[in-house]
Amino acid sequence: MSDTLIKAADAAAATPHPDFDAVVVGAGFAGLYALHKLRDQLGLRVCVLEAGSGVGGTWYWNRYPGARCDIESIHYSYSFSNELQQEWEWSEKFASQPEILRYLNHVADRFELHEDITFDTRVDSVVWDDSTATWQVSTDTGHTVSARYFISAAGNLSVPKEPEFAGTDVFTGELYMTGKWPHHDVDFTGKRVAVIGTGSSGIQVITEVAKQAEHLTVFQRTPTYATPLRNGPADPDRVAAIKATYPEMRMASRNTQGGIVFDRDPLPSAMAVTPEERRRVYDDRWELGGFHISSASFNDIVTDKAANDTISNYVRERIRECINDPALAERLVPTTYPYGTKRPTFEAAYYDAYNRDNVTLVDVSDAPITTLSPSGLRTAHDDYDFDMIILATGFDAMTGPLLKMNITGRNGQRLADKWARGPRTFLGIQVHGFPNLFTITGPQSPSVLYNMPLAVEDHVDFAADAITYLCAHGYNTIEPTAEAEDAWVVQNNALADQSLLPGTNSWWMGANVPGKPRVCLVFLAGANVYRGICEDVVNGGYHEFSLTLEGQPVRETVG
Ligand code: FAD
Ligand code: NAP
């Protein structure tokens, strides 16, 4: 079938043979699966370009101490091969970064993926050539390759945010970013260390550095609502039970909002039960750990402010219980935004760090960091001296990796111009005016609110199905109609407006990067609803898309 597909496509295309059928950018969860799917199942000629020196993506770059996933590994892993999911053994409930990186290297070895990946190569220009119906993909190594399909597997959280303060070049001590952690050992012993940022990365690194540094100073702009992760060794009985019905469990996961089957189902409304029942539910989910509290308690906590108050107050109360000094506790308790309107964070001894004598919290909400200095950093109020500064300040999420590639579509239109007021996509995977571009887990898909390996598989499968459809019908290009895209953007914004998310400065809203358009970057109706919509699109024969043959429209339809 594979050879036939290629021949059909080549016969249909009145274009010179491109260098590759598909270029894939990125060798994380998405790029590895895209290579396997397109090369081994569709028989396409595929080239993967990766900026790093190895596979792993997120898990290649984020090597900071304490880095681990917060979705149980038995879920946070590929489902596409039952053999793979049966044979791999996770040592912990929530695997650490080194173990996830080992897993992704194992996948690359097992499916012989390395040979088609070019490492140490950053894509810096991607231009659509209408005359040949190909993408021209250029790299920082000075090469340009052509391909019929361009698959961005560049990730959502792969471009660290530019620091908002000056002076990163003048600090004479050691300076690290969690999202670009060095490969050599970093020793905190006997050092005065600063960590800037208290999101998911910050709280993981703070917990570890506190144990070793002579002194750790945490610069906090906004406190987080961290709840217990409850990690531990993998439970063999639980693993065996899951493996006995792994494919069924994966299918059940895909039919949930977030791509995970929890130990408890959420109840419809926090306001529909008595305060005692509510408390019982929160206590139960608190003990279960991880996403149980946010995703398996009540369904209305991010849509109804009164419901949200109940969980926000509950978590605040639990945080206070963790901190010995009541005044310090108040500075660690979030008060300026509702729980769950920033991406939930999970801790294991994060709050304990503040009970140590060698840890100081500096609140920079009113006195921002203005610059790093040769000996440390300066806030609007004070100067501080450090041997080491760690930036845990987050990412230019969702749109950043795509825009950094300088993508230019049909008629010279730049993606950056098209998205100047926020992303415009259909299903978060295709963009009108950018034929044969597939954005795996792109903005306006459920992506980061969906257990990511499953989200990745769904999107790669969608792209592969679309390519198969093109080849089978002898078409050259596919892109969504402007009408379908407009409707998708409206639907995304309407969903966001029905939630509490727009009121909070989060990366979900693009609000963590100065100057970035403030729009919701994630489709909020849930992975299950989204999957249904995608299925309807495919079963309906791609009616929301324009298809061309030799540059001529074969069908113009309105979504
Ligand atoms: P990535 O893993 O980000 O891979 C993208 C790759 O593309 C990178 O290797 C990058 O170098 C490469 N790339 C980007 N641009 C270019 C370019 N222009 N040229 C060449 N190469 C390029 N999600 C969860 O669901 N659960 C979790 O527990 C979880 N934990 C996380 C922990 C951390 C520390 C972070 C940062 C994210 C976490 N995430 C988690 C989200 C995580 O990003 C995804 O789960 C998943 O790893 C994304 O895989 P990906 O292949 O789509 O992208
Ligand atoms: P983040 O959630 O965006 O957190 C960044 C932190 O840096 C915030 O506390 C932010 O404060 C602070 N900050 C940014 N600029 C600052 C400045 N100029 N001065 C002071 N503080 C500043 O980024 P992240 O922690 O890297 O996490 C990003 C995402 O990656 C997560 O939401 C999650 O999806 C994923 N992740 C997951 C895990 C996991 O456990 N599985 C671990 C790490 C990351 P403000 O809130 O005030 O902006």
Side-chain angles (χ1 to χ4, degrees):
M1 164 176 153
S2 311
D3 282 351
T4 319
L5 270 183
I6 296 171
K7 280 182 197 139
D10 288 345
T15 58
H17 213 291
D19 297 325
F20 296 97
D21 297 312
V23 165
V24 175
V25 179
F29 267 101
L32 294 179
Y33 179 55
L35 172 56
H36 171 63
K37 179 87 190 182
L38 299 182
R39 185 193 67 181
D40 302 335
Q41 292 183 20
L42 267 59
L44 302 183
R45 294 169 304 125
V46 184
C47 160
V48 178
L49 302 171
E50 166 56 58
S53 305
V55 304
T58 289
W59 305 102
Y60 169 88
W61 295 104
N62 291 264
R63 296 163 183 258
Y64 60 85
R68 68 175 65 248
C69 60
D70 57 12
I71 290 179
E72 231 184 304
S73 297
I74 209 85
H75 295 288
Y76 187 72
S77 46
Y78 289 118
S79 72
F80 70 85
S81 159
N82 196 39
E83 294 75 22
L84 172 67
Q85 65 185 2
Q86 292 294 341
E87 76 199 9
W88 184 263
E89 302 283 345
W90 295 104
S91 67
E92 290 178 279
K93 198 171 173 191
F94 300 93
S96 65
Q97 173 272 332
E99 189 167 12
I100 304 172
L101 187 57
R102 272 200 301 282
Y103 168 75
L104 289 168
N105 271 290
H106 167 76
V107 171
D109 290 341
R110 193 186 191 288
F111 296 96
E112 299 177 1
L113 302 177
H114 281 106
E115 63 205 53
D116 288 308
I117 306 173
T118 305
F119 293 105
D120 302 307
T121 302
R122 185 169 288 282
V123 170
D124 54 17
S125 160
V126 185
V127 179
W128 174 253
D129 178 355
D130 224 14
S131 65
T132 55
T134 57
W135 286 102
Q136 305 291 317
V137 181
S138 304
T139 68
D140 63 354
T141 52
H143 296 98
T144 298
V145 291
S146 60
R148 190 163 296 134
Y149 308 106
F150 180 69
I151 317 284
S152 170
N156 294 314
L157 296 161
S158 56
V159 172
K161 185 175 96 154
E162 292 291 328
E164 287 169 41
F165 34 80
T168 48
D169 51 342
V170 301
F171 178 58
T172 54
E174 295 168 76
L175 179 64
Y176 301 112
M177 265 186 176
T178 50
K180 264 193 190 170
W181 198 259
H183 288 221
H184 61 78
D185 282 343
V186 176
D187 187 5
F188 310 103
T189 320
K191 291 182 183 151
R192 298 160 304 163
V193 181
V195 172
I196 304 172
T198 52
S200 304
S201 307
I203 71 169
Q204 288 183 333
V205 79
I206 287 163
T207 306
E208 295 308 311
V209 174
K211 295 175 194 161
Q212 290 176 39
E214 180 186 302
H215 197 91
L216 167 63
T217 307
V218 175
F219 290 86
Q220 171 189 273
R221 188 165 67 183
T222 311
T224 189
Y225 289 93
T227 60
L229 182 65
R230 308 238 183 263
N231 192 21
D235 170 357
D237 293 338
R238 179 176 162 79
V239 171
I242 286 175
K243 285 192 174 181
T245 55
Y246 224 149
E248 293 81 355
M249 192 273 278
R250 296 294 202 169
M251 191 37 74
S253 296
R254 286 190 146 91
N255 288 322
T256 65
Q257 273 226 320
I260 307 159
V261 177
F262 289 106
D263 294 352
R264 300 280 190 279
D265 289 329
L267 285 81
S269 169
M271 306 314 290
V273 297
T274 62
E276 293 73 27
E277 172 62 1
R278 214 158 43 221
R279 176 83 201 193
R280 193 198 62 71
V281 169
Y282 290 146
D283 283 347
D284 176 64
R285 289 8 176 213
W286 182 273
E287 288 313 315
L288 286 168
F291 274 96
H292 281 99
I293 186 115
S294 57
S295 306
S297 56
F298 297 102
N299 276 335
D300 57 351
I301 59 173
V302 291
T303 50
D304 179 332
K305 181 66 170 59
N308 186 282
D309 285 344
T310 66
I311 191 164
S312 294
N313 287 333
Y314 176 85
V315 179
R316 288 174 187 135
E317 187 189 316
R318 300 301 303 248
I319 293 172
R320 287 187 185 101
E321 288 168 10
C322 299
I323 307 293
N324 297 340
D325 173 353
L328 177 60
E330 288 315 310
R331 292 158 65 210
L332 286 161
V333 166
T335 54
T336 56
Y337 66 99
Y339 174 80
T341 58
K342 284 177 183 267
R343 204 275 195 180
T345 61
F346 302 100
E347 60 96 37
Y350 167 63
Y351 291 112
D352 291 348
Y354 296 98
N355 293 328
R356 301 173 65 103
D357 292 337
N358 67 331
V359 177
T360 307
L361 179 71
V362 176
D363 181 346
V364 291
S365 55
D366 290 331
I369 298 166
T370 52
T371 185
L372 302 197
S373 64
S375 59
L377 66 78
R378 212 162 280 152
T379 69
H381 283 166
D382 283 305
D383 280 2
Y384 299 85
D385 289 344
F386 296 111
D387 303 305
M388 182 191 294
I389 297 176
I390 298 172
L391 306 182
T393 46
F395 297 87
D396 182 356
M398 309 292 294
T399 50
L402 284 159
L403 295 178
K404 272 232 156 190
M405 284 190 274
N406 296 309
I407 302 176
T408 303
R410 210 190 276 291
N411 300 325
Q413 184 179 31
R414 294 169 63 240
L415 190 64
D417 292 335
K418 172 157 180 152
W419 286 6
R421 291 192 294 151
R424 303 187 63 76
T425 75
F426 180 54
L427 304 175
I429 190 168
Q430 276 225 294
V431 183
H432 177 70
F434 296 76
N436 294 357
L437 162 67
F438 295 93
T439 55
I440 305 304
T441 64
Q444 297 175 337
S445 73
S447 57
V448 289
L449 294 181
Y450 183 8
N451 175 16
M452 284 290 274
L454 300 196
V456 153
E457 289 177 346
D458 284 1
H459 260 189
V460 170
D461 290 349
F462 184 94
D465 287 347
I467 291 170
T468 304
Y469 185 85
L470 291 188
C471 294
H473 291 79
Y475 301 148
N476 300 63
T477 68
I478 181 167
E479 66 181 278
T481 63
E483 292 79 2
E485 184 175 276
D486 288 348
W488 190 251
V489 174
V490 168
Q491 187 179 353
N492 264 271
N493 293 339
L495 284 166
D497 288 343
Q498 289 160 25
S499 80
L500 302 174
L501 265 59
T504 296
N505 293 330
S506 69
W507 63 259
W508 286 340
M509 291 298 303
N512 66 326
V513 174
K516 192 165 168 167
R518 191 189 180 103
V519 294
C520 186
L521 296 168
V522 195
F523 176 79
L524 292 180
N528 45 353
V529 173
Y530 177 81
R531 281 171 51 77
I533 296 170
C534 291
E535 253 171 54
D536 288 347
V537 166
V538 175
N539 294 337
Y542 299 92
H543 275 280
E544 295 81 356
F545 291 83
S546 303
L547 307 168
T548 66
L549 173 60
E550 296 173 22
Q552 300 305 311
V554 290
R555 195 184 70 207
E556 293 279 16
T557 53
V558 177

